[in-house]
Each structure stands twice: as C-alpha cells, then as structure tokens.
Amino acid sequence: MDSTEIGLWGVPLAMLGGAIRVSTPFIFVSLGEAITERSGRINLGLEGTLVFGAMTAYAVAVMTGSPWLGLLAAAAAGLCFGLFHGWICKFRGVNDIAIGIALMLFGSGLAFFFGKPFIQPSAPDLPAIPFGGWSDVPQVQAALNVNVLFLIGAALAVFLWWAFRNTRAGLILRVVGDSSDAARAMGLNPNTVRLIATGIGGALAGIGGAYLSLYYPGSWTEGISSGQGLMAVALVIFARWNPLGCFAAALLFGGAGALGPALQSVGVTQGYYLFYAAPYILTLVIMIATSSPSRSLAGAPGELSITK
C-alpha cells in the first residue's frame, strides 16, 4: 500500500480503530443497563459507577501490578453500587431516577476523593490482540489492535440476546420487567429479581470503567468518563432493550466519538474539534426521536418508570 492509498484509507482506518476502542465501555455499560431496565428499573447512577470503577481499577492495578485484579476490583465496586441502588429502590415511594442521580454524584465524588493519590502513578494496561500483524501498514496494525474486553463484550451481547429468549432466567427477568403482579402470581419476588439485575448491571458498568483507566485512554483523571454512563442509557433506549442492538449502537456511538481524533490523525488541523461533540449531538437526537408522547416505546418493559 503506497502513501496515496494510505492517505485515502487513513480516515476510515482511524475511525474503525477508534470505534472499537471508544465503543468498548459503551458496550459494557449499555448491556448492564439493558439487564437492569429489562427488570423494570432504570439506573442513572451508572455514570458514577463507571467513574468509581475506573478509579478502583487503576488504584488496584497500581498497588498490585496486575490489571486483571484491577478489573475484578472494579466489577466488585460496581456490584456494590448496583446492589445498593437496587436495595434502596425497593422501599415504597422511592424514585429510582432520583436515587440514580444521587448515586451518580456520590460515586463521582467518592472517586475524585480517593483517586487523587493515583493521578500521577502509572498502572499496567489490559492486553490487546494484534489482529493486524499480517500487515506492515501502521494504520492497519493500529486499527486492528483489539483489546480483549471488546471481544468479551461482543460475546456477552450475543449470549444475553440468546439468554433473554431461551432461558428460565431470561423469562423471569422479562416477566418481572413487564408486570410485577404477573411475577407475584408466578411466585416470584420482583424486588429480589431487580436487586440481582441492578447488581449485575453495576458490575458491568464497573468493568467499563476499568477499560477506560487501564486501556483507553489508559490513565486516571477526574474527567475520564465525559458522560458515557448517561449516554449509555440513551443508547439502550435507542437499541430497544436488545443486547445485539446495544452492541451495534455502541459501535455507532464509538464511531461518532472517533471522528474527531480520526480527522486529527490524518492532518486536519482546523475544525476537527467540533466533531468531538458528535456523540453528544447523537445522544440528543436519539432522545428527541424516541420521546414522542403520542406513541409508546416499542419493546419497553411495562414496569419501567420512563414508560409510565
């Protein structure tokens, strides 16, 4: 591939690599939120969980020298946040949206407080698989250098899509999400199911945070998330609570987020920074397009507060 061809393919290759890198936290947070919302509960606190998970993963990786221990610690922290959200929301009169906002602020503040000593130290990165090793073109190699969490997220999306339709756990989750009365008639405890679902969703958000601090961008800073936890909620609604749709929408959001860096990487020096706003504009457009009061959200769980 000569220099002309490299220049021609520069932006698509940069966007491909960027979409894979940027989409990975979206994948985990959106799949976690899809599980939570399928049970009939919404968790806006995932932004705080994501940030706290990023800080926890980075801190543990710095102290132990193992990114995998950092990943596990982030998942455990996210699980605790999710379980707390699920527990407090079971009480009568508690609004899950208000609690989610409170936990978002609490998680972010807690991460900033405990994370200050870890801004300077360097942590080991999560490994990536060089699928572009067959090419001697640096752009191809960079685009196909795929982190293992992206592959795990893709496999998880397929598994959840199958599990929602073909397993007893998936049936229970959908029944509880559609009607608490029907769930009780079947002998199920909706609060217990939602507690478990919210805990799992929090754990996946924590893993998404670990990816941010231990791979891309690969550092701990207070502004590491840039609202990705909140954008993931819009992503789930856009995907109509379908795990495969969440994966595809995460790639779309990732591609939008990679547009600015891709233009910068090929020498565009003016105006490229405007494209850094693309994910936020896309989120706004999706929320407007899916919030029509004249029609219900197709596929929305009946017990979800945003549908009532």
Side-chain angles (χ1 to χ4, degrees):
M1 186 178 292
D2 58 31
S3 59
T4 303
E5 291 175 314
I6 291 175
L8 180 64
W9 288 97
V11 172
L13 286 173
M15 285 194 65
L16 172 62
I20 292 174
R21 288 191 296 270
V22 176
S23 68
T24 302
F26 280 120
I27 291 171
F28 281 94
V29 180
S30 65
L31 291 178
E33 181 64 6
I35 294 172
T36 301
E37 292 189 17
R38 277 283 191 171
S39 73
R41 178 165 290 154
I42 187 169
N43 184 3
L44 294 183
L46 291 182
E47 173 70 12
T49 304
L50 186 75
V51 174
F52 192 80
M55 185 279 299
T56 302
Y58 199 81
V60 172
V62 167
M63 291 186 292
T64 65
S66 171
W68 294 111
L69 287 178
L71 181 71
L72 290 176
L79 176 65
C80 291
F81 271 82
L83 290 176
F84 181 72
H85 183 281
W87 173 76
I88 201 170
C89 286
K90 75 176 183 178
F91 296 106
R92 185 179 298 276
V94 174
N95 184 281
D96 55 356
I97 294 179
I99 293 299
I101 294 173
L103 285 179
M104 175 182 65
L105 298 175
F106 176 72
S108 299
L110 208 61
F112 299 161
F113 178 78
F114 287 112
K116 288 187 181 298
F118 299 99
I119 293 177
Q120 293 297 328
S122 179
D125 291 340
L126 289 165
I129 301 175
F131 288 113
W134 52 270
S135 174
D136 58 357
V137 179
Q139 288 87 341
V140 174
Q141 294 176 356
L144 298 181
N145 197 41
V146 180
N147 186 270
V148 291
L149 285 185
F150 176 81
L151 302 177
I152 293 173
L156 181 61
V158 175
F159 171 75
L160 289 176
W161 172 80
W162 173 82
F164 281 168
R165 291 164 171 76
N166 299 285
T167 65
R168 175 176 171 79
L171 174 62
I172 290 174
L173 191 70
R174 289 187 290 118
V175 169
V176 169
D178 286 336
S179 173
S180 295
D181 292 335
R184 293 189 185 96
M186 294 174 60
L188 302 172
N189 186 332
N191 288 329
T192 300
V193 174
R194 288 174 184 143
L195 177 68
I196 295 172
T198 310
I200 294 173
L204 291 177
I207 292 174
Y211 175 89
L212 287 175
S213 61
L214 296 180
Y215 187 73
Y216 185 79
S219 61
W220 160 245
T221 61
E222 294 183 354
I224 193 170
S225 171
S226 303
Q228 291 184 45
L230 289 174
M231 285 190 283
V233 177
L235 188 154
V236 173
I237 297 172
F238 175 62
R240 292 297 187 264
W241 298 270
N242 183 326
L244 292 182
C246 288
F247 179 78
L251 286 174
L252 176 63
F253 273 61
L259 185 56
L263 292 175
Q264 187 180 11
S265 69
V266 295
V268 177
T269 58
Q270 294 183 346
Y272 69 86
Y273 52 86
L274 296 175
F275 290 95
Y276 279 89
Y280 306 97
I281 296 173
L282 183 60
T283 301
L284 180 61
V285 170
I286 288 173
M287 293 305 294
I288 293 174
T290 58
S291 60
S292 172
S294 62
R295 57 183 176 85
S296 60
L297 293 173
E303 292 290 325
L304 201 61
S305 56
I306 62 172
T307 64
K308 294 182 177 181

